[in-house]
Amino acid sequence: MRYIRSSSVTLENITKKSTIAAEFTSVAASYPFRVSPSYAKLIRREGDAIWKQCIPDLRELDDAGQCPDPLAEHLLSPVPGLIHRYPDRVVLLVSNRCPVYCRFCMRKRHVGEGDAPMDAQTLKQAMDYIAANPAIRDIILSGGDPLMLDDDSLHHILQQLRAIPHVTIIRIGTRVPVTLPERVTPELCTLLKRFHPLYINTHFNHPDEITPLSARACDLLADAGIPLGNQTVLLRGVNDSLDTMRSLQTGLLSLRVRPYYIHQMDLVRGTAHFRTPIATGLEIIRGLRGHVSGMAVPQYVIDLPDGKGKVPILPDDVERQGDLLILRTYQGEMVRYRDLTTVADS
Ligand SMILES: *Cc1c(COP(=O)(O)O)cnc(C)c1O
Ligand code: SF4
């Protein structure tokens, strides 16, 4: 397995007018720094939504109470690089590199410059595990960013997966359309479309990430028949307002990207300053539901600690009194709705 060649701008280059570059360097010693030139160009000023996502912050260091792996992924890993939490699907961690190291990353402990991609022997073990477990029908390639692998490596992985008869769908989780849109070439799309049904879930967090370049990347993928979804992480100071989320989620629909999840921040060490209360997420969902196209409303999910899985949460809009439901409409009106009486049939 090999990575594509890709470059990073230097921290000094971005923060040159700032006096805090030295402090940032000390954070980057614990959690690697990497920002692609195309993502760096999206920064308009110090402290904006793009800056906050990619520039090291001293607060990453004062977070001793949190766990590096709260989701207990290492306990759900029967063979290295594979996470098997749900009955019918597994995550394969094929890459440890990303074009940008997001400061809020839930896999902060994995991603890093020095890390090699999954090696041939580990890949073989993972393939053997999948082949031996016919209940597994959905494979999620993740990492790191799988599209940091070169086309030959991706081809090799996809071909091996497609050789397993019970593997039905393949998903790729990637932030490349946002952080390295030039990686999405017509050649890559031609390769991917040979392995349908193949889905891509990408990761836009802010309307400023919707640019002519990221739009073109999504266009090429959608034109290759790849259904596109999006997973957003709810981030304090970045996208924790209704206006920002509305513009992000509706903007995505116009790129043929269907909003899938808004993730509550996991309790990962080094990321506490990004966390919002659950009420913030619920208010955003309430402000979207009914007010914009239902296609633009993702599920708000909490990934529970200890590997217990994702749980969607909704604003409290149903009250039950026996077979009478009292439902709150999107405009706030309380409406009574009579359910079937459960004893009726025999
Ligand atoms: C999120 C996740 C999945 C995929 O879950 P979906 O709800 O099907 O998108 C699978 N395995 C693990 C370990 C996950 O964290
Ligand atoms: S692209 Fe994804 S895996 Fe990579 S650093 Fe960002 S959030 Fe983490």
Side-chain angles (χ1 to χ4, degrees), residues 62-339:
D62 56 42
D63 203 354
Q66 306 290 348
C67 175
D69 178 20
L71 304 179
E73 289 187 334
H74 66 286
L75 296 178
L76 298 164
S77 186
V79 294
L82 182 144
I83 309 167
H84 193 181
R85 175 198 287 164
Y86 298 107
D88 73 335
R89 52 210 190 278
V90 297
V91 174
L92 256 189
L93 304 172
V94 293
S95 151
N96 288 305
R97 190 176 287 181
C98 306
V100 173
Y101 289 131
C102 311
R103 309 320 296 176
F104 53 83
C105 179
M106 63 163 299
R107 298 232 172 80
K108 245 176 136 95
R109 72 189 190 288
H110 279 308
V111 296
E113 200 67 30
D115 288 325
M118 181 177 263
D119 62 56
Q121 197 204 330
T122 311
L123 182 67
K124 170 141 195 344
Q125 266 183 289
M127 293 296 169
D128 289 347
Y129 179 86
I130 295 166
N133 286 275
I136 300 171
R137 46 181 302 286
D138 175 0
I139 312 292
I140 301 157
L141 300 183
S142 182
D145 202 309
L147 296 187
M148 289 299 269
L149 296 176
D150 67 13
D151 287 3
D152 285 348
S153 305
L154 285 167
H155 184 260
H156 178 72
I157 294 170
L158 293 170
Q159 200 167 39
Q160 298 220 354
L161 286 172
R162 274 285 166 249
I164 303 173
H166 55 266
V167 169
T168 314
I169 70 164
I170 299 174
R171 302 192 235 177
I172 299 179
T174 175
R175 193 151 150 75
V176 148
V178 181
T179 52
L180 196 64
E182 62 270 31
R183 168 72 184 97
V184 180
T185 58
E187 293 72 31
L188 176 68
C189 294
T190 303
L191 184 164
L192 295 176
K193 72 192 278 192
R194 290 178 50 198
F195 297 97
H196 276 314
L198 183 143
Y199 291 70
I200 286 185
N201 274 334
T202 185
H203 178 172
F204 284 78
N205 285 331
H206 194 275
D208 288 357
E209 294 171 347
I210 299 178
T211 65
L213 282 175
S214 62
R216 182 187 136 81
C218 293
D219 235 30
L220 286 171
L221 293 167
D223 284 350
I226 301 171
L228 300 174
N230 185 70
Q231 308 196 183
T232 293
V233 183
L234 181 57
L235 299 166
R236 190 160 98 202
V238 174
N239 60 14
D240 57 342
S241 80
L242 177 57
D243 279 352
T244 304
M245 272 301 181
R246 187 194 300 114
S247 129
L248 172 63
Q249 306 297 344
T250 55
L252 287 168
L253 266 196
S254 67
L255 305 186
R256 287 183 281 171
V257 178
R258 171 81 158 90
Y260 181 46
Y261 283 149
I262 292 179
H263 290 270
Q264 173 65 12
M265 277 285 308
D266 295 320
L267 308 170
V268 173
R269 180 181 293 164
T271 64
H273 54 293
F274 284 114
R275 207 157 297 135
T276 61
I278 302 292
T280 306
L282 288 175
E283 276 312 301
I284 287 169
I285 297 298
R286 176 165 276 152
L288 294 175
R289 168 66 57 205
H291 297 274
V292 299
S293 163
M295 300 271 296
V297 186
Q299 289 198 69
Y300 177 40
V301 293
I302 305 183
D303 210 342
L304 289 176
D306 301 323
K308 294 190 192 294
K310 296 180 185 69
V311 179
I313 46 172
L314 285 166
D316 230 356
D317 289 334
V318 190
E319 194 195 315
R320 242 187 201 281
Q321 296 173 357
D323 58 0
L324 184 67
L325 275 68
I326 300 166
L327 301 168
R328 186 205 308 266
T329 71
Y330 80 99
Q331 290 163 317
E333 188 186 348
M334 303 306 288
V335 178
R336 297 149 72 89
Y337 180 91
R338 183 77 57 188
D339 195 5

Side-chain angles (χ1 to χ4, degrees), residues 27-40:
V27 177
S30 299
Y31 299 112
F33 168 85
R34 188 181 168 97
V35 179
S36 62
S38 43
Y39 197 69

